[in-house]
Amino acid sequence: MRKYIQLRKTLLCLLFVGLGWPVSTHAQKIKWNKVRILVYTKNGKGYVHDNIANSKTAILALGKQNGFAVDTTSDPSKFTDENLKQYDCLVFSNTNNDVFDTDAQRVALMRYIQAGGNFVGLHSASGTERKWRWFKDLLGGTFFWHEPGQSFSVKILDPKNPSLAHLGKTWPRQTDEFYFIKELGVNLNVLAVNDHSTIQKPAGKALDTFGDVFPSVWWHEYDGGRSFYTSLGHQKEDYEKEDLRQHILGAIEWAIGPQKPRNYSKAYATSPQDAVRNTIPALSK
């Protein structure tokens, strides 16, 4: 039986590597005093998480502690070329459903990414703009379902990534939501997976795409920019805890990657439905 379990683990690991999950990651040193980020918290019609205020407080505190500037907004009119070009990273913190009023705002997000901008999605950000193909591909998929909030374990696949380097091999989540994401991208670099075998009260809609685990933290390059997503962080109290704060800080650091200004000469979008021209190899470096 032990040999069977070990063989299963080995095959699962090879599956992730074969799909480009994860790749070797080495953090770039960030000059935090040169960084400015925008935290976006808009929710459309539907469920609104009660963790948004705490998430803003947490990221503002991270900015103060590490010397980078943080702006926060729930106003979609801030999505213009002129405004977005100043930001090294956009953090969509628990956004949900339709979060833009106009296609021009959506195009501004596209152009920002195409200009070399960077994106971080936290928790319910995967439920954002569920009918917009480009955004779903930017994030890496779109929300399908979650188990009722409870404890479960997260397996760390890449302990060198700055979003996970402060954790052990397993990250116990005392209470969180085990997310299942559909329409997953094929070039995702998966950094951590939720272990469904540790769920005590399953509710019956779990996807078994990857057996007993499901990707929960990943990054990839997309349409000229970098994107990082974590499905963890449902409880508002978690944003007061050091483990999740360091996870978010590392996510921002990794999304920024090689620190460089936006280059809008590479931005080409004129419509939310424009085809992606900037294709990225499956194994990004």
Side-chain angles (χ1 to χ4, degrees), residues 33-281:
N33 64 334
K34 303 292 185 181
V35 168
R36 177 177 291 274
I37 72 170
L38 178 66
V39 179
Y40 189 50
T41 58
K42 174 74 173 179
N43 272 243
K45 185 178 180 180
Y47 182 79
V48 179
H49 282 66
D50 66 359
N51 58 19
I52 291 174
N54 282 20
S55 74
K56 289 195 296 184
T57 297
I59 299 171
L60 286 165
L62 289 171
K64 186 175 182 179
Q65 293 164 6
N66 294 278
F68 62 90
V70 180
D71 296 331
T72 69
T73 189
S74 59
D75 180 3
S77 71
K78 299 295 184 181
F79 281 75
T80 65
D81 284 4
E82 186 61 30
N83 187 50
L84 294 185
K85 67 182 181 182
Q86 66 181 307
Y87 296 111
D88 297 276
C89 186
L90 307 181
V91 179
F92 277 44
S93 181
N94 292 283
T95 53
N96 198 15
N97 296 305
D98 295 337
V99 299
F100 297 109
D101 293 335
T102 68
D103 280 351
Q105 294 161 0
R106 294 181 175 90
V107 168
L109 173 60
M110 295 172 74
R111 289 175 54 79
Y112 168 81
I113 295 297
Q114 290 162 0
N118 308 300
F119 172 89
V120 169
L122 302 181
H123 192 53
S124 69
S126 58
T128 302
E129 296 287 331
R130 304 183 195 201
K131 297 179 182 179
W132 183 18
R133 178 78 267 163
W134 184 92
F135 184 86
K136 291 188 289 186
D137 289 343
L138 168 69
L139 187 131
T142 192
F143 177 77
F144 171 66
W145 182 75
H146 69 76
E147 293 282 12
Q150 58 189 288
S151 64
F152 58 88
S153 295
V154 180
K155 293 183 177 181
I156 308 304
L157 301 184
D158 189 348
K160 293 183 180 180
N161 188 277
S163 70
L164 302 168
H166 61 294
L167 303 168
K169 294 181 179 179
T170 301
W171 188 8
R173 305 299 300 149
Q174 184 174 358
T175 303
D176 210 329
E177 288 182 340
F178 191 121
Y179 267 26
F180 292 97
I181 308 297
K182 62 181 180 179
E183 301 177 50
L184 283 169
V186 298
N187 68 326
L188 304 180
N189 302 299
V190 176
L191 306 175
V193 293
N194 293 343
D195 183 355
H196 198 259
S197 70
T198 62
I199 285 283
Q200 298 300 308
K201 297 179 180 180
K205 291 178 67 175
L207 298 173
D208 62 356
T209 311
F210 306 107
D212 290 335
V213 299
F214 200 87
S216 53
V217 183
W218 62 70
W219 76 279
H220 68 143
E221 295 182 359
Y222 177 72
D223 205 12
R226 289 166 68 95
S227 173
F228 190 109
Y229 173 69
T230 177
S231 67
L232 304 168
H234 175 72
Q235 299 296 114
K236 62 182 180 180
E237 296 82 6
D238 283 341
Y239 292 86
E240 299 171 354
K241 298 176 181 178
E242 191 65 19
D243 59 348
L244 189 66
R245 288 192 176 193
Q246 287 300 311
H247 182 52
I248 294 170
L249 180 66
I252 294 168
E253 176 182 347
W254 189 254
I256 292 173
Q259 212 164 354
K260 57 185 179 182
R262 271 52 61 204
N263 181 359
Y264 270 82
S265 69
K266 296 183 178 180
Y268 58 87
T270 59
S271 163
Q273 285 71 50
D274 284 353
V276 173
R277 299 178 190 172
N278 297 314
T279 58
I280 301 296

Side-chain angles (χ1 to χ4, degrees), residues 19-34:
L19 291 174
W21 311 343
V23 297
S24 178
T25 55
H26 301 281
Q28 299 282 336
K29 287 293 184 180
I30 298 292
K31 295 180 180 178
W32 287 110
N33 64 334
K34 303 292 185 181

